[in-house]
C-alpha cells in the first residue's frame, strides 16, 4: 500500500515520466532484476523498466548480447545497468546472480528466463527435458526464495513470474513444458497470498503465443502470435493489482474460447493446436 508521501510524489511526476511509470518505480524501485533479458519478453520487460527509470540487473547466457542490450537500456533511461552472464540451469547459476546483486537495493524480480520443447515425450531428449525443469521451475523457486527474503527485510517488493496459456490444462506434444508452466502458475497463486502481509506483490503473467526466439528453440510454428511489447507493460501494470494477467487480445480470446470447456476438453483442443504447430517437429 502506498504511503501519503508516495502518493504526493506521483502527483508531481518528474518531466518525461508518466504517472504509471512513477508509481511503478516508487513501488518496486530503485533496482530490478530481469532474467532472460537478452531477447523476447524478457528484453521487453527490461526496456519498459528502463523507460520508467529503474536501474537494472539483466541476466542471460550470452554476455556479448547482454552488453549490447545494456547499452540500449542506458539510452532508454536506465541510470545503471549491470550484466550477469549466467546459465540458470547450471547448479551455481542462481547463486551467482544472487551474490552479484547482494549490495543492491533490489525491489523487483522479473523471472522471464525459460524455454520449451515440443514433440512426443517418449521420443524426447531426456537431459534437455530435465534442463527445462531446472530453468523453468527450480531456478525460479531459488530466485523467489532469495529475493522474497530480501523484500521482506526491506518492507516490500514484487515478483513477476512467467506462466502461460498452456498452464491451465495438459498439452499433448508439449506435456513437460506445459507442466513447468502449471507449476509456476500454482506457485505464484500460493505465494501471492502468503507474501501479501509482508508487502510483497506476486503476479503470474500468462500470455498466449508470442513472437520470440521461443518458437524456434521449441521447433514450433506459430500462425498467430503477439509481440513482446503487447505483454510487458500490461503485466507490469497488473502487478500488485491481480494474481494472474493474460495480457493482450490473443491471450484473452484463447482464454474465453476454452473457459467453458471441461479440463479434458481443453486437453483435446490443445492437442489439435499442437499438431498444427509442430508438424514434423521433434524434441
Amino acid at each position: 500500500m502506498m504511503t501519503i508521501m508516495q502518493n504526493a510524489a506521483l502527483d508531481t511526476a518528474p518531466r518525461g515520466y508518466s504517472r504509471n511509470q512513477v508509481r511503478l518505480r516508487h513501488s518496486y524501485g530503485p533496482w530490478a532484476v530481469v532474467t532472460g533479458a537478452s531477447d523476447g519478453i524478457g528484453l521487453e520487460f527490461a526496456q519498459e523498466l528502463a523507460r520508467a527509470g529503474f536501474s537494472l540487473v539483466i541476466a542471460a547466457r550470452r554476455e556479448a548480447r547482454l552488453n549490447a542490450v545494456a547499452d540500449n537500456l542506458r539510452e532508454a533511461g536506465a541510470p545503471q545497468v549491470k550484466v550477469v552472464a549466467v546459465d540458470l540451469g547450471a547448479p551455481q547459476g542462481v547463486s551467482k546472480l544472487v551474490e552479484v546483486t547482494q549490495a543492491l537495493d533490489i525491489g523487483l524480480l522479473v523471472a522471464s528466463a525459460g524455454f520449451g520443447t515440443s514433440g512426443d515425450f517418449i521420443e524426447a531428449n531426456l537431459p534437455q527435458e530435465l534442463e527445462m525443469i531446472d530453468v523453468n521451475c527450480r531456478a525460479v523457486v531459488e530466485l523467489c526464495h532469495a529475493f522474497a527474503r530480501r523484500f521482506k527485510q526491506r518492507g516490500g517488493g514484487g515478483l513477476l513470474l512467467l506462466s502461460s496459456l498452456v498452464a491451465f490444462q495438459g498439452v499433448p506434444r508439449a506435456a513437460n513444458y506445459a507442466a513447468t508452466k502449471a507449476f509456476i502458475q500454482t506457485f505464484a497463486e500460493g505465494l501471492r497470498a502468503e507474501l501479501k502481509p509482508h508487502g510483497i506483490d506476486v503476479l503470474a503473467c500468462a500470455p498466449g503465443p508470442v513472437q520470440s526466439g521461443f518458437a524456434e528453440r521449441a521447433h514450433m510454428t506459430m500462425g498467430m502470435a503477439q509481440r513482446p511489447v503487447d505483454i510487458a507493460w500490461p503485466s507490469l501494470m497488473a502487478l500488485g493489482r491481480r494474481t494472474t494477467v493474460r495480457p493482450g487480445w490473443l491471450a484473452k480470446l484463447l482464454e474465453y474460447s476454452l473457459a467453458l470447456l471441461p479440463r479434458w476438453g481443453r486437453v483435446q483442443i490443445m492437442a489439435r493446436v499442437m499438431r498444427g504447430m509442430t508438424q514434423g517437429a521433434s524434441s
Side-chain angles (χ1 to χ4, degrees), residues 64-279:
R65 171 60 181 161
L66 282 177
N67 286 329
V69 169
D71 290 338
N72 291 333
L73 294 176
R74 293 184 188 102
E75 292 178 4
Q80 298 182 67
V81 182
K82 291 186 177 294
V83 166
V84 184
V86 64
D87 180 358
L88 294 177
Q92 302 303 318
V94 172
S95 298
K96 178 181 177 180
L97 180 55
V98 171
E99 182 179 351
V100 167
T101 64
Q102 198 64 49
L104 304 176
D105 185 12
I106 306 293
L108 176 62
L109 168 68
V110 179
S112 182
F115 70 94
T117 59
S118 66
D120 293 336
F121 177 72
I122 59 173
E123 303 297 335
N125 179 309
L126 184 57
Q128 185 180 44
E129 296 297 312
L130 296 175
E131 180 191 5
M132 182 168 60
I133 294 172
D134 282 339
V135 175
N136 292 9
C137 300
R138 181 192 55 78
V140 174
V141 170
E142 285 191 68
L143 286 168
C144 287
H145 187 262
F147 283 102
R149 288 165 69 93
R150 288 167 61 172
F151 295 166
K152 179 182 177 181
Q153 290 182 340
R154 75 190 291 273
L159 301 170
L160 199 158
L161 312 184
L162 264 292
S163 176
S164 170
L165 178 74
V166 302
F168 303 96
Q169 67 283 305
V171 180
R173 295 186 63 78
N176 191 29
Y177 172 69
T180 68
K181 291 306 176 180
F183 176 91
I184 293 299
Q185 180 65 38
T186 303
F187 184 53
E189 291 172 1
L191 280 187
R192 184 172 192 260
E194 186 176 326
L195 297 178
K196 185 176 181 180
H198 303 297
I200 303 170
D201 296 323
V202 183
L203 178 73
C205 167
V210 179
Q211 297 169 1
S212 68
F214 171 89
E216 182 179 357
R217 184 171 184 180
H219 304 292
M220 295 167 60
T221 302
M222 295 181 180
M224 283 195 305
Q226 296 178 255
R227 302 168 300 163
V229 70
D230 299 322
I231 308 304
W233 185 249
S235 298
L236 289 169
M237 289 295 93
L239 183 61
R241 294 169 171 167
R242 301 176 62 180
T243 301
T244 301
V245 62
R246 294 171 174 83
W249 67 269
L250 182 56
K252 293 179 176 61
L253 174 64
L254 294 172
E255 175 197 3
Y256 295 146
S257 66
L258 295 171
L260 297 179
L261 294 175
R263 194 174 179 96
W264 64 265
R266 298 201 302 271
V267 172
Q268 294 302 313
I269 294 295
M270 293 305 295
R272 296 178 188 176
V273 171
M274 287 301 297
R275 277 198 297 270
M277 295 174 68
T278 60
Q279 290 292 337

Side-chain angles (χ1 to χ4, degrees), residues 1-11:
M1 183 178 297
M2 288 192 176
T3 65
I4 294 175
M5 291 182 63
Q6 286 176 317
N7 279 319
L10 294 184
D11 290 333

